[in-house]
């Protein structure tokens, strides 16, 4: 798939004006409430797990994690959502140019509420109507097989492994030759237009970014520092050597956390809290509900360090351990931290490359924007996403253990398979796939 679009029928400002119009058209309000006021949710007797009365959607439980190398042990709340959702973008050629059907969608956790989302963004509970709401629009394009539909991308991908336990979504791009019914909350956009919108803060949501990262985009790369076999071998070594035990425990037994009237918090005021909100929504399948959300403390910093080898851009990926991953390790950006959580940490215990990114001169920053994380489960979760160009002395040809040099094309090829590239790396890969940044 070509990243360029020869025809753009409307400007970025037109799209932003349409999104603002859709925001005004729907009443959507989010209010914090006490945990005890959650409607349909309760703390389960005995375990203290936060569960929905239907037994569906998700639960908030406890997790006890032990990592052998380096030795670490901790406990935390975790979201357990077993069902596989669908994140799907419908594609169609219009005037000879491939367009994507994007939705102006409200999410309770987004600081600005409405962002550009995939055509379909639904859990199985949503599209099977456990909530007894209206149908999910366009879902049949992703559930049915038709000669008029061409699958451009279809893979199972993880989500935030620090907050979800074994969470998986099906990331899909389906091209259709059929006439598609129009709806005022949806709009056809080219990949180039979406790329321009990715230059702005909090416009393109996480679910759209992860799907776009899986698009079969061609990257012109005459070579790579390491061949694919070397990249896979080094990654397999990291996955094989890491021993992590993640054991589900009752939420009531999680050590180091305290439950108050309005939230469940870490006793040192770090990491995140579990909070509750009530939602009134005019543009969703259900017009009102309440739910728990995870709220991180502080703005995240997520960055790939970049260098060129023989004229080919490379990214320094981190084989990162997260307790919620199905396979323990996935390729992540070089830096993926919330600096506030490490303010007290000095010397060699500081996260690798974090200060290099925080102190980077603006002349070396090739891309920077603030993007929201998953607005359906997290409240005000945002990160600064960056590409930062570095020198050999800062990031050598042979990087430290756990880090790998990969090209954007190599990383894109790995998204055809599940559990290789984490969701934060997929955000930055989507930026490259959309062509709005040249490294």
């Amino acid at each position: 798939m070509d990243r360029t679009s020869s025809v753009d029928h409307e400007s970025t400002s037109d799209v932003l004006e349409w999104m603002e119009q859709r925001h005004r058209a729907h009443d959507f309000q989010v209010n914090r409430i006490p945990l005890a006021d959650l409607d349909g949710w309760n703390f389960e007797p005995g375990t203290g797990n936060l569960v929905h009365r239907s037994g569906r959607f998700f639960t908030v439980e406890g997790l006890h994690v032990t990592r052998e190398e380096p030795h670490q042990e901790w406990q935390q709340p975790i979201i357990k959502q077993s069902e596989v959702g669908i994140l799907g973008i419908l594609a169609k050629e219009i005037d000879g140019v491939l367009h994507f059907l994007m939705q102006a969608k409200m999410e309770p956790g987004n600081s600005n509420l409405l962002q550009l989302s995939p055509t379909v963004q639904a859990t199985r509970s949503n599209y099977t109507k456990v909530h007894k709401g209206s149908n999910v629009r366009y879902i049949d394009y992703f559930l049915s097989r038709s000669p008029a539909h061409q699958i451009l991308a279809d893979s199972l991908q993880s989500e935030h492994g620090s907050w979800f336990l074994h969470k998986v979504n099906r990331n899909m791009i389906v091209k259709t030759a059929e006439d598609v019914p129009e709806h005022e909350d949806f709009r056809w956009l080219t990949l180039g237009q979406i790329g321009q919108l990715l230059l702005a803060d909090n416009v393109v949501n996480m679910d759209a970014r992860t799907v776009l990262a899986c698009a079969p985009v061609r990257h012109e790369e005459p070579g790579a520092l390491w061949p694919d076999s070397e990249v896979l071998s080094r990654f397999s070594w990291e996955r094989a050597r890491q021993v992590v035990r993640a054991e589900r425990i009752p939420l009531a037994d999680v050590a180091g956390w305290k439950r108050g009237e309005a939230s469940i918090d870490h006793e040192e005021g770090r990491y995140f809290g579990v909070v509750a909100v009530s939602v009134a929504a005019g543009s969703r399948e259900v017009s009102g509900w309440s739910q728990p959300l995870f709220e991180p403390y502080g703005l995240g910093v997520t960055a790939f360090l970049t260098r060129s080898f023989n004229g080919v851009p490379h990214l320094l990926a981190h084989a990162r351990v997260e307790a919620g991953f199905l396979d323990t390790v996935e390729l992540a950006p070089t830096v993926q931290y919330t600096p506030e959580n490490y303010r007290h940490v000095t010397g060699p215990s500081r996260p690798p490359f974090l200060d290099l990114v925080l102190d980077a001169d603006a002349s070396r920053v090739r891309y920077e924007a603030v993007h929201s994380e998953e607005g359906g489960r997290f409240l005000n979760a945002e990160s600064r996403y960056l590409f930062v160009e570095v020198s050999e002395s800062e990031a050598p040809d042979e990087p430290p253990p756990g880090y790998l040099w990969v090209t954007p094309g190599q990383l894109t090829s790995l998204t055809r398979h599940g559990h290789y590239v984490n969701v934060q790396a997929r955000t930055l890969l989507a930026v490259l796939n959309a062509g709005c940044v040249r490294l």
Side-chain angles (χ1 to χ4, degrees):
M1 189 166 69
D2 196 340
R3 283 177 292 179
T4 62
S5 54
S6 58
V7 179
D8 280 346
H9 295 287
E10 55 189 338
S11 68
T12 301
S13 60
D14 292 333
V15 179
L16 293 174
E17 184 178 340
W18 164 71
M19 292 180 67
E20 180 59 32
Q21 188 271 329
R22 299 321 304 156
H23 196 301
R24 294 192 302 267
H26 298 292
D27 180 30
F28 200 93
Q29 299 180 7
V30 179
N31 295 298
R32 293 173 184 261
I33 59 174
L35 292 168
D37 289 353
L38 282 166
D39 182 23
W41 296 80
N42 67 280
F43 289 97
E44 189 176 54
T47 67
N49 292 344
L50 192 50
V51 300
H52 191 263
R53 63 186 168 206
S54 68
R56 302 286 293 276
F57 299 109
F58 63 94
T59 60
V60 180
E61 307 179 4
L63 196 69
H64 184 172
V65 184
T66 306
R67 180 180 179 182
E68 287 193 2
E69 185 185 343
H71 179 74
Q72 295 174 318
E73 187 172 3
W74 72 91
Q75 297 182 8
Q76 66 169 89
I78 197 85
I79 298 172
K80 183 71 174 73
Q81 185 172 329
S82 300
E83 60 187 28
V84 177
I86 291 179
L87 305 178
I89 296 180
L90 192 62
K92 182 180 175 66
E93 285 195 6
I94 301 174
D95 295 334
V97 177
L98 193 64
H99 284 65
F100 301 90
L101 187 60
M102 307 301 290
Q103 181 182 179
K105 187 178 180 71
M106 303 277 193
E107 290 288 353
N110 293 336
S111 58
N112 60 345
L113 295 180
L114 185 141
Q115 296 185 15
L116 200 67
S117 82
T119 318
V120 166
Q121 177 184 320
T123 66
R124 183 175 178 83
S125 291
N126 288 144
Y127 66 77
T128 58
K129 299 198 291 185
V130 170
H131 50 39
K132 304 187 187 304
S134 58
N135 294 327
V136 174
R137 295 184 191 279
Y138 306 109
I139 186 65
D140 289 344
Y141 288 97
F142 302 93
L143 296 179
S144 64
R145 296 292 185 183
S146 166
H149 301 163
Q150 178 187 359
I151 306 297
L152 300 183
D154 190 353
S155 59
L156 297 177
Q157 300 291 345
S158 66
E159 288 200 16
H160 300 75
S162 296
W163 297 331
F164 280 117
L165 182 63
H166 301 168
K167 175 71 165 64
V168 175
N169 272 324
R170 191 177 176 189
N171 287 227
M172 303 180 69
I173 302 176
V174 175
K175 182 181 177 183
T176 184
E178 298 177 342
D179 291 332
V180 178
E182 295 184 1
H183 187 275
E184 57 193 356
D185 288 333
F186 295 77
R187 197 149 182 160
W188 291 104
L189 300 176
T190 66
L191 188 57
Q193 289 169 336
I194 298 170
Q196 289 301 304
L197 294 168
L198 280 165
L199 295 172
D201 294 347
N202 288 325
V203 173
V204 181
N205 83 351
M206 187 217 77
D207 298 288
R209 301 190 308 263
T210 180
V211 177
L212 292 170
C214 299
V217 170
R218 293 186 297 272
H219 294 269
E220 300 299 328
E221 297 170 350
L225 180 65
W226 297 335
D228 294 353
S229 57
E230 177 73 9
V231 170
L232 288 171
S233 178
R234 291 186 182 229
F235 176 74
S236 296
W237 165 248
E238 291 297 329
R239 182 171 277 179
R241 78 180 182 86
Q242 296 289 351
V243 179
V244 179
R245 289 184 290 274
E247 176 188 5
R248 294 163 64 187
I249 61 174
L251 183 60
D253 294 347
V254 173
W257 294 73
K258 55 186 180 181
R259 176 176 153 189
E261 179 181 338
S263 60
I264 302 171
D265 303 289
H266 189 266
E267 59 189 10
E268 295 179 354
R270 298 196 188 106
Y271 311 119
F272 62 91
V274 183
V275 301
V277 298
S278 65
V279 183
S283 59
R284 295 290 296 266
E285 293 84 15
V286 174
S287 60
W289 70 92
S290 63
Q291 67 172 95
L293 293 169
F294 278 25
E295 183 177 31
Y297 297 151
L299 178 69
V301 173
T302 303
F304 268 123
L305 300 186
T306 75
R307 282 183 58 198
S308 286
F309 296 92
N310 296 321
V312 177
H314 283 64
L315 312 172
L316 186 58
H318 181 202
R320 181 181 172 90
V321 173
E322 294 188 19
F325 287 156
L326 269 170
D327 288 320
T328 307
V329 172
E330 295 189 13
L331 290 179
T334 323
V335 166
Q336 182 189 309
Y337 301 104
T338 301
E340 283 295 314
N341 293 332
Y342 298 91
R343 177 177 290 184
H344 64 294
V345 179
T346 59
S349 297
R350 290 278 290 175
F353 304 110
L354 174 60
D355 292 326
L356 179 61
V357 170
L358 293 177
D359 298 337
D361 187 88
S363 64
R364 299 200 295 170
V365 176
R366 296 290 170 259
Y367 171 84
E368 181 176 5
V370 174
H371 293 302
S372 296
E373 305 303 333
E374 214 283 284
R377 297 291 177 265
F378 311 135
L379 180 64
N380 300 324
E382 298 176 347
S383 291
R384 286 176 60 217
Y385 280 90
L386 306 101
F387 287 108
V388 179
E389 186 177 17
V390 294
S391 65
E392 181 180 355
S393 63
E394 294 166 318
D397 296 11
E398 185 59 46
Y403 292 84
L404 300 82
W405 285 113
V406 297
T407 68
Q410 287 174 322
L411 205 61
T412 296
S413 69
L414 290 174
T415 64
R416 299 171 191 162
H417 315 280
H419 312 297
Y420 278 93
V421 183
N422 83 347
V423 69
Q424 288 89 347
R426 295 197 302 273
T427 278
L428 287 167
L429 188 56
V431 170
L432 295 179
N433 284 352
C436 62
V437 173
R438 303 291 183 182
L439 300 180

